[in-house]
Amino acid sequence: MPDNSHSNHSLPPGPDTPFTVNTDQATFDIIPEWLDTYGHVVKVYSDVRDRIGYLVNDPDMIRHILIKNPANYQKGPGFERVKMLLGNGIIVSDGAFWRRQRRMIQPAFGKRSIAKLCEQVQQCNQDLLNSWRLKAESNEVIDLTYETNKLSLQVILRVIFSEDVDFLVKQHGSDPFEFLTADTTRDLQVVLKFRALIKLFQDLIDWRREHQPERHDFLDFFMSAIDKESELKMQDKELIDELMTAIIAGHETSAITLNWSWYLLSTHAEVEDQALTEIDSVIAQQPASFEQLLQLKYIKQVVSEALRLYPPVWLFSRTSIKHDQLGQYDVPPGTDIFFSPYYMHRHPEHWENAEEFDPDRFNAVNDKQRANQVYIPFSSGPRRCIGDFFAIVESQLHFGMMLPEFQMQVVENPSLELEPFINLRVKEGIKVTLSKRQ
Ligand code: HEM
């Protein structure tokens, strides 16, 4: 075990037996036991990593690490696996390089840009709507989890590449992204298939440079972004890493959010009624305008509550660089820090009836009363999710379009067992039938 005898402060309590915290079932199962036994910050030694880690479930401490002193914490364990998939995209990079990339990419996720991209999102939802109409007519059982997964993949691809998704399919000879919905294991095979996309992306970048087509999508934003400090554009390798990052970071997270939001809406009739009333009063005619989507405040509350109960990123990490202090506890350099939105969102001291689905927690009054950092589905501070606004608008658009047309019935006794890997998935897809509303 590392020698911490030089420390003047104390270390938090924790189990004597070594344990390696990971995005896996064993970690998911043991966290509640630790929190019960040791309190809101737990020290655990990993013999695999030969270092100590703290599980931090206290809003003030989370605030300290993510907002007050983020420069002392770099990305922690787990991110090395993400790096294999994404190269040095902004989800894994750190320091000056991360700052530069974030600065260049940020405007693509602003209001003006997202408003323009809504047309692409609308088209994907229109395709789904047409397909669901047929499924509603035939009353067949559908796999909601698979459907939302497919939709979210289409959405993220269309906002990144717009009509040039077709270029990529043509160039590849078949759908090069199919494995992302067909194979959700993210094992080495998938890493290899994913890395093979690099050549395709390079071809598209070259083609765009040569033909200069008019496009409004993330690729266009990323290709034309100029760093204010260096006055340089991104190099192709950096550009491609950021494309990969946006696909992976924006696909399954959004899919899981839609999956659970639908499930919760369909099993809470009074919430569904209120959502329908809101859509009816805000959207006079389809398709809704961007401004109308932003007015779907109750839908946003529903989605926020789904993200509270089932945050797709249920565990993430940092590693301390220099000594620091968390309340009364010492943080030696090289300490791994783990945050779990899933357990923070169910903390009995911060959430009343935490297991219950109640979108009113997020109405304007209750929202103001909540302590900061007890709700962190998108993390917090400078490394907060860059796609948070987009993810919410994407959901508002989806429900604004689909909910007035379809009622969803969950097939009885769905197994809602969770699969806590990199993202918090359901083990088996949720099966539903659709009927058209009168
Ligand atoms: C409901 C959907 C989403 C959830 C719950 C979510 C959650 C998160 C979380 C928790 C982080 C922080 C991870 C960390 O600090 O270690 C993050 C970062 C990030 N997310 Fe999201 N995300 C969502 C959607 C999206 C979308 C749609 C995109 C892109 C289109 C996206 C792109 C990113 C990127 C690039 C980062 C890294 C930001 C940085 O480090 O500067 N996310 N996300």
Side-chain angles (χ1 to χ4, degrees):
M1 232 182 249
D3 173 22
N4 293 307
S5 53
H6 62 281
S7 162
N8 293 325
H9 303 102
S10 60
L11 302 183
D16 291 330
T17 39
F19 188 97
T20 299
V21 174
N22 269 320
T23 45
D24 60 18
Q25 190 74 47
T27 302
F28 188 74
D29 292 342
I30 208 165
I31 289 179
E33 286 175 34
W34 286 347
L35 296 173
D36 264 3
T37 314
Y38 305 108
H40 53 261
V41 48
V42 181
K43 173 179 70 74
V44 59
Y45 169 72
S46 162
D47 48 358
V48 176
R49 301 183 182 119
D50 189 23
R51 51 212 282 153
I52 54 166
Y54 295 176
L55 174 76
V56 175
N57 208 40
D58 171 273
D60 289 334
M61 293 186 182
I62 294 176
R63 184 177 159 74
H64 177 84
I65 298 165
L66 295 179
I67 299 178
K68 287 199 177 153
N69 197 14
N72 191 45
Y73 294 90
Q74 59 193 18
K75 293 274 172 157
F79 282 101
E80 60 295 338
R81 270 193 293 165
V82 183
K83 206 167 189 154
M84 284 203 318
L85 208 57
L86 304 177
N88 208 22
I90 62 166
I91 211 158
V92 287
S93 59
D94 272 308
F97 180 73
W98 164 78
R99 239 186 324 278
R100 190 194 76 155
Q101 294 298 100
R102 175 107 191 188
R103 233 182 5 241
M104 289 170 88
I105 287 171
Q106 189 79 47
F109 289 87
K111 238 182 180 177
R112 272 215 343 243
S113 161
I114 300 302
K116 268 192 189 166
L117 290 169
C118 271
E119 218 177 286
Q120 300 290 344
V121 185
Q122 222 136 31
Q123 190 51 55
C124 298
N125 277 279
Q126 186 61 50
D127 294 345
L128 183 70
L129 191 121
N130 296 340
S131 134
W132 278 13
R133 278 181 182 153
L134 298 175
K135 289 180 173 157
E137 257 170 45
S138 63
N139 202 29
E140 66 184 278
V141 174
I142 62 168
D143 183 334
L144 168 66
T145 310
Y146 178 70
E147 295 280 313
T148 49
N149 207 306
K150 246 179 24 181
L151 171 71
S152 297
L153 180 60
Q154 281 316 309
V155 166
I156 195 69
L157 293 175
R158 288 276 158 189
V159 297
I160 297 174
F161 302 112
S162 59
E163 53 260 63
D164 294 337
V165 173
D166 301 336
F167 173 101
L168 297 168
V169 173
K170 199 166 150 221
Q171 194 81 354
H172 186 65
S174 61
D175 181 354
F177 303 104
E178 210 209 332
F179 69 98
L180 286 172
T181 44
D183 181 349
T184 50
T185 54
R186 302 283 183 275
D187 63 11
L188 198 61
Q189 280 302 316
V190 171
V191 174
L192 295 177
K193 281 186 201 163
F194 201 67
R195 299 306 294 173
L197 294 172
I198 292 173
K199 161 96 179 50
L200 276 183
F201 294 163
Q202 185 66 59
D203 288 349
L204 178 58
I205 291 166
D206 294 343
W207 181 83
R208 281 203 183 181
R209 283 211 183 100
E210 193 186 329
H211 293 87
Q212 303 280 324
E214 201 183 319
R215 298 283 187 263
H216 296 295
D217 52 27
F218 282 163
L219 177 56
D220 179 54
F221 266 103
F222 295 1
M223 281 178 73
S224 43
I226 295 174
D227 176 36
K228 277 192 215 118
E229 272 175 23
S230 63
E231 297 186 354
L232 292 173
K233 288 186 172 184
M234 278 184 231
Q235 291 175 8
D236 287 358
K237 157 92 176 65
E238 296 161 355
L239 190 58
I240 290 171
D241 284 352
E242 299 307 351
L243 297 176
M244 301 282 208
T245 298
I247 296 173
I248 286 297
H251 167 212
E252 203 176 24
T253 47
S254 298
I256 290 171
T257 308
L258 295 181
N259 184 49
W260 282 112
S261 301
W262 264 117
Y263 173 78
L264 292 163
L265 271 167
S266 312
T267 50
H268 294 81
E270 55 320 331
V271 175
E272 190 180 24
D273 284 349
Q274 201 171 326
L276 280 166
T277 307
E278 177 183 73
I279 296 169
D280 199 38
S281 70
V282 169
I283 305 176
Q285 203 186 342
Q286 297 281 359
S289 67
F290 179 66
E291 286 67 31
Q292 285 171 333
L293 294 178
L294 298 189
Q295 283 171 42
L296 295 177
K297 299 224 162 79
Y298 189 67
I299 296 287
K300 183 176 172 188
Q301 285 177 223
V302 169
V303 172
S304 302
E305 176 68 343
L307 281 166
R308 180 186 71 84
L309 282 168
Y310 303 104
V313 180
W314 69 277
L315 184 84
F316 61 98
S317 69
R318 295 289 186 273
T319 301
S320 64
I321 300 170
K322 296 184 193 155
H323 253 101
D324 196 10
Q325 215 182 312
L326 274 184
Q328 80 229 60
Y329 299 123
D330 204 37
V331 185
T335 304
D336 294 328
I337 308 281
F338 300 95
F339 313 93
S340 174
Y342 183 88
Y343 289 106
M344 192 70 239
H345 293 175
R346 290 167 188 250
H347 196 310
E349 275 171 35
H350 299 287
W351 301 93
E352 219 172 284
N353 301 324
E355 304 295 320
E356 264 173 41
F357 173 64
D358 177 11
D360 282 338
R361 296 178 202 274
F362 293 94
N363 67 26
V365 177
N366 294 335
D367 231 5
K368 273 207 191 102
Q369 285 169 357
R370 194 172 25 255
N372 288 329
Q373 276 62 66
V374 298
Y375 182 65
I376 48 166
F378 296 109
S379 181
S380 216
R383 299 216 62 160
R384 185 185 162 92
C385 175
I386 203 169
D388 57 352
F389 175 67
F390 174 72
I392 297 293
V393 173
E394 178 185 357
S395 313
Q396 286 168 313
L397 191 154
H398 175 77
F399 287 109
M401 215 162 157
M402 310 301 268
L403 200 62
E405 179 133 358
F406 301 106
Q407 186 161 23
M408 197 174 270
Q409 296 84 23
V410 176
V411 171
E412 273 198 41
N413 297 326
S415 140
L416 297 177
E417 242 182 294
L418 298 174
E419 198 173 56
F421 294 160
I422 291 187
N423 288 322
L424 185 65
R425 300 184 185 144
V426 274
K427 234 171 224 159
E428 274 173 44
I430 301 177
K431 308 292 184 302
V432 301
T433 54
L434 297 167
S435 46
K436 277 194 56 111
R437 290 187 201 276
Q438 299 309 314

